[in-house]
Amino acid sequence: MKTFQIINVKNHYIIQSCLVISLVTVTIWITTILRKKIKISQNRNAQQCANNKIISIPLVVITGCDTGLGYSIVMRYLKGEHFNNNQNDSKMYNMLFSNNRALLVPSRIAIVAFCLNPNSPGAKCLVQFSLKNNNIQLFVRQLDLTDTDSIKTGVTFVTDLLQQNVNIFDPHNEPVVSKYELHALINNAARMVMAEYEWQTSKMIKEQFKVNILGPIMLTAMLLPTFRKDKSRVINVISHCAYLPLPGISIYGATKAAIRAWTIGTRVELDNHGIKMITFSPGSFYLHSSIMSGEQRMIDYKDMRNNMNKEQLAYYGAFMCSYQNYLSNIDVYINPPETTIPSSNKIYCQMDNALWAVHPKAEYNVPEPWRYRIYFAVAWTLSSLGLHYFKDKVVRRFVATPQFHNNIESQVENVL
């Protein structure tokens, strides 16, 4: 009887153990299934959130991208050189001139490159390089800042672009919906006629004011509603001529002084609306720009002569020839339009800061060569002391263009 009881007790413990083990096994099995379902659900939700999340792609609009600064900036992004800190070996420079500001350069950028001629060699090179870069979305479009309708068409293209949804792929090759956000406008396009003020036709003078100041004002004004919404920044490219005008480019200097004054005035107005107004003086890189194009200069000088009266032709004829011959000597040194500014130029460090600094400075000035710095220092000192006669002598010596002589009339017969 006792043996039977012992067996029953043992069986009872075995049954209990089996029940516990079964219960634990079932619990673990159910828990595992539930965890898998939760994980799948979380992945689906995460994927759905990723698909529903709209990622912003900063859009940068640049005018004057046929050659020079505009072309070089766009080409640098297309080549991926904006991720290479070409100023790494110049930390002191960054600290002094860039104010050591934090930069947030996104991996994906969209650029609208406005060109006067979308079929120019520079524009074609940009389009060709854009096909090799998936992180930079480039749109090359025509823009004539002397034509109001052209400006309106350009603004319509930009605003339409901002309304579009763009499908991009994340690192896992999954589609993600994104939208463009207007990050910056760089008013870079410029027109310069290098000639004495009296020679220039009214058309040339108007063109310089339209391209250099009136056009940028209109373009900026039409985009202001978008600037306010996206908290954008406007970078207006000026020149050292805005501070110290030079003979031979007095009209050009007047337009640059005007855009500088406009930027300074509107900076206070628009800062309340989250818009940054920035001036950018790029320094000396005229050998990489078509602004002194010999082809255009020949057209300009022909128009000047055709619009002069007999007295002006008799008075300036030979002087104009010597002036034009002097400028033509520069043509052999000017690089082709599809050649970029050297990557070592400090201009890129400053532009990166103007574009991507979290808190950009109000003014950026790329250091000029020492010859320019010495000239500016001497001319500014003489001017501040009221010694304008000596200051003008320094200016004339610095420019080094041919000088007019009263006895030049005797040479006119050989010219006419």
Side-chain angles (χ1 to χ4, degrees):
M1 188 70 178
K2 289 182 178 179
T3 303
F4 181 77
Q5 290 178 346
I6 293 173
I7 292 173
N8 286 338
V9 170
K10 286 184 178 179
N11 290 336
H12 178 72
Y13 281 120
I14 291 173
I15 292 172
Q16 282 185 336
S17 299
C18 290
L19 289 173
V20 170
I21 293 173
S22 300
L23 182 62
V24 171
T25 302
V26 171
T27 303
I28 293 174
W29 180 68
I30 294 174
T31 303
T32 303
I33 293 175
L34 290 175
R35 283 180 177 176
K36 287 182 178 180
K37 287 185 176 181
I38 291 172
K39 188 174 181 180
I40 292 172
S41 178
Q42 287 176 341
N43 289 337
R44 285 177 180 174
N45 291 335
Q47 185 63 46
Q48 186 176 2
C49 290
N51 289 336
N52 293 335
K53 183 180 179 181
I54 297 178
I55 298 176
S56 296
I57 299 177
L59 178 68
V60 179
V61 179
I62 310 176
T63 65
C65 294
D66 301 80
T67 63
L69 179 60
Y71 172 81
S72 295
I73 292 173
V74 178
M75 184 59 75
R76 178 169 174 259
Y77 279 94
L78 293 177
K79 290 182 178 180
E81 295 176 355
H82 58 292
F83 286 118
N84 301 328
N85 292 328
N86 51 56
Q87 314 298 341
N88 275 345
D89 57 347
S90 183
K91 294 182 179 179
M92 181 61 69
Y93 173 88
N94 288 333
M95 183 175 66
L96 292 176
F97 296 104
S98 301
N99 207 18
N100 201 23
R101 293 169 183 263
L103 303 185
L104 294 178
V105 184
S107 58
R108 291 182 180 274
I109 301 170
I111 299 176
V112 175
F114 281 128
C115 299
L116 180 61
N117 180 10
N119 294 317
S120 64
K124 289 182 178 179
C125 283
L126 293 179
V127 173
Q128 182 179 1
F129 268 87
S130 68
L131 301 177
K132 305 175 184 178
N133 193 313
N134 295 325
N135 291 326
I136 305 296
Q137 294 171 286
L138 178 68
F139 306 92
V140 176
R141 290 295 183 275
Q142 196 270 346
L143 178 67
D144 183 356
L145 289 170
T146 66
D147 185 354
T148 303
D149 290 335
S150 179
I151 296 175
K152 290 179 179 178
T153 301
V155 170
T156 300
F157 175 78
V158 172
T159 52
D160 287 348
L161 203 60
L162 295 170
Q163 302 301 320
Q164 297 178 9
N165 288 336
V166 184
N167 290 324
I168 61 175
F169 293 90
D170 62 14
H172 303 290
N173 203 30
E174 295 292 338
V176 179
V177 177
S178 61
K179 269 187 172 294
Y180 298 119
E181 182 179 88
L182 187 53
H183 177 74
L185 165 65
I186 303 178
N187 285 312
N188 165 71
R191 168 86 158 102
M192 183 179 76
V193 179
M194 195 165 186
E196 301 255 320
Y197 154 67
E198 187 179 352
W199 305 348
Q200 299 187 37
T201 66
S202 60
K203 179 183 176 182
M204 295 173 190
I205 295 172
K206 289 176 182 178
E207 281 182 351
Q208 290 176 84
F209 271 92
K210 286 181 178 179
V211 175
N212 300 350
I213 176 66
L214 298 178
I217 288 177
M218 290 180 62
L219 179 61
T220 304
M222 292 180 186
L223 289 171
L224 276 179
T226 306
F227 289 151
R228 289 197 302 270
K229 180 176 68 71
D230 293 342
K231 308 302 180 186
S232 312
R233 61 190 67 183
V234 180
I235 303 172
N236 292 322
V237 179
I238 59 172
S239 166
H240 58 77
C241 298
Y243 302 92
L244 285 173
L246 297 175
I249 49 174
S250 59
I251 301 298
Y252 175 79
T255 63
K256 290 301 181 179
I259 198 169
R260 177 174 178 264
W262 169 64
T263 307
I264 294 173
T266 55
R267 178 183 303 134
V268 181
E269 298 174 6
L270 298 177
D271 185 62
N272 294 328
H273 309 295
I275 303 172
K276 304 293 184 183
M277 296 293 289
I278 301 166
T279 59
F280 187 91
S281 183
S284 179
F285 64 95
Y286 67 91
L287 295 181
H288 292 84
S289 175
S290 63
I291 199 167
M292 295 182 66
S293 167
E295 182 180 353
Q296 182 60 50
R297 187 171 60 250
M298 291 178 64
I299 297 173
D300 289 340
Y301 271 79
K302 183 179 179 180
D303 289 343
M304 288 184 222
R305 287 193 176 87
N306 291 337
N307 283 273
M308 281 184 172
N309 56 41
K310 292 182 179 180
E311 186 275 334
Q312 289 175 316
L313 283 173
Y315 191 75
Y316 286 118
F319 180 41
M320 284 187 70
C321 285
S322 60
Y323 203 101
Q324 188 176 3
N325 290 336
Y326 169 81
L327 295 177
S328 64
N329 294 329
I330 303 174
D331 293 342
V332 294
Y333 299 102
I334 295 179
N335 291 279
E338 60 272 16
T339 304
T340 58
I341 301 172
S343 59
S344 60
N345 197 306
K346 304 299 182 184
I347 196 172
Y348 295 121
C349 178
Q350 295 282 51
M351 182 55 75
D352 284 345
N353 273 269
L355 269 175
W356 305 112
V358 178
H359 302 289
K361 296 190 295 183
E363 296 184 353
Y364 288 86
N365 295 285
V366 178
E368 298 277 2
W370 282 107
R371 176 175 174 267
Y372 283 79
R373 298 189 208 182
I374 294 172
Y375 154 71
F376 289 142
V378 173
W380 182 86
T381 301
L382 292 174
S383 180
S384 62
L385 294 174
L387 303 174
H388 298 289
Y389 172 81
F390 295 102
K391 180 248 184 181
D392 292 346
K393 291 287 186 182
V394 171
V395 171
R396 173 59 66 186
R397 183 70 179 269
F398 174 76
V399 176
T401 52
Q403 297 188 39
F404 176 80
H405 299 285
N406 289 331
N407 62 352
I408 206 167
E409 292 91 334
S410 61
Q411 307 172 22
V412 173
E413 294 181 358
N414 296 330
V415 177
L416 298 178

